[in-house]
Amino acid sequence: MGKGVGVEARSGRVSVGVAAAGATRVAYGLLRRRPPVEARMWRRTNYAGRGVELYGGLAAAAGAATAVAAARGVALRTRIAAVGAALAAGACGAYDDQYGSPAEKGLAHLKALREGRFTSGAAKLLGIGAAGLAAGVLLKTHPADQLLTGVVIAGTAHAVNLVDVRPGRAAKAVIAVGAPGLLRRGPAALLAAAPVGAAAAVLRDDVSERTMLGDAGAHALGAALGAAVAVANGRTGLLLHAAALVAMTVTGDRISTDERLWKAPGVRHVDSWGRVAHPYG
């Protein structure tokens, strides 16, 4: 009986991951053929001066959300919470992709709010924070757990976006952080399989600099991964994850820009895997 249940659980995780990857590739193909509004809105110049498009992020958000929505073995409230958080984070990220200013990053948005200016980053901060708290209400019963869940979901979304400064880095981070969650039992493993599958589906195009996740994809995958973390943990685990994510937020600029962190033995190899070589770094 136990062996049969284990095989069924593994099959469920694989099914969700494959569904996420498949839905992501379908969405990616559709978006490239028929871009929303105008194609020029979804084109950017990356760190190396190369033109890329943002469809990979939109597709990954759609793929992860679709797989969670269709996942068997996950309670309806849990699916609503995870899908809602991912889609809300993706929508806020897409808004920032279109209207954000490169001059204002991280905590600069809070400074702008104090000065009476409402930036796209502030909209993202408030929107994803509210979505995380709403998901917390659906996932947990105690107010403290609900608050911590909101911090974990919003914080994970922000953390994935922090590392999205080189091709493939954010997608690899989602896979690396989410993969251990696949070893768990129950709905947490199924939830983790969705962002992992979606990230894997766009990884090759991301590292090859054909597409990029952008804020939409990074925040959506991060929120979906945060929901999986929240479902897997009780109060102590939530508190530890929340503390780590808050620390990442405070040191966000260093994580994004200090390449010494990414040149450590082992980390550099994984980080650079598949990436186009540039004289810029």
Side-chain angles (χ1 to χ4, degrees):
M1 176 67 74
K3 185 176 180 180
V5 172
V7 171
E8 183 178 350
R10 288 193 294 274
S11 176
R13 294 190 289 268
V14 171
S15 296
V16 173
V18 170
T24 298
R25 294 307 302 182
V26 169
Y28 184 51
L30 291 173
L31 287 165
R32 296 192 73 188
R33 287 194 296 272
R34 300 189 65 178
V37 190
E38 296 182 55
R40 64 178 179 82
M41 294 174 59
W42 307 102
R43 294 183 184 132
R44 295 293 184 274
T45 300
N46 71 2
Y47 79 107
R50 183 171 180 172
V52 296
E53 32 88 337
L54 293 169
Y55 305 133
L58 299 176
T66 299
V68 172
R72 299 177 62 183
V74 180
L76 179 60
R77 285 173 65 92
T78 302
R79 276 185 283 158
I80 291 173
V83 171
L87 291 181
C92 291
Y95 178 79
D96 198 41
D97 281 333
Q98 296 302 321
Y99 302 106
S101 169
E104 291 185 311
K105 298 180 179 180
L107 299 178
H109 296 297
L110 295 178
K111 181 180 178 182
L113 276 178
R114 289 197 300 268
E115 295 172 351
R117 294 185 295 112
F118 192 75
T119 65
S120 61
K124 186 172 62 175
L125 176 67
L126 296 175
I128 297 175
L133 287 174
V137 170
L138 290 172
L139 293 174
K140 305 293 182 179
T141 55
H142 194 281
D145 297 333
Q146 294 170 348
L147 177 61
L148 288 171
T149 294
V151 173
V152 166
I153 291 175
T156 308
H158 181 62
V160 172
N161 191 54
L162 277 178
V163 302
D164 190 30
V165 294
R166 288 293 185 272
R169 184 174 288 176
K172 292 174 186 176
V174 170
I175 295 170
V177 175
L182 302 179
L183 302 177
R184 293 180 177 273
R185 295 185 178 184
L190 299 176
L191 294 181
V196 169
V202 295
L203 180 58
R204 171 56 69 178
D205 292 278
D206 194 350
V207 296
S208 300
E209 299 183 38
R210 287 187 288 269
T211 192
M212 61 190 295
L213 289 179
D215 279 21
H219 282 299
L221 292 179
L225 187 59
V229 171
V231 169
N233 283 274
R235 187 170 303 167
T236 300
L238 288 172
L239 186 59
L240 292 174
H241 280 89
L245 290 164
V246 169
M248 286 186 68
T249 299
V250 173
T251 59
D253 289 341
R254 181 181 177 186
I255 293 172
S256 295
T257 61
D258 191 346
E259 285 299 303
R260 290 175 299 178
L261 298 174
W262 302 95
K263 291 181 179 179
V267 175
R268 180 176 183 175
H269 176 75
V270 174
D271 182 47
S272 62
W273 174 84
R275 189 180 297 156
V276 177
H278 288 295
Y280 316 97

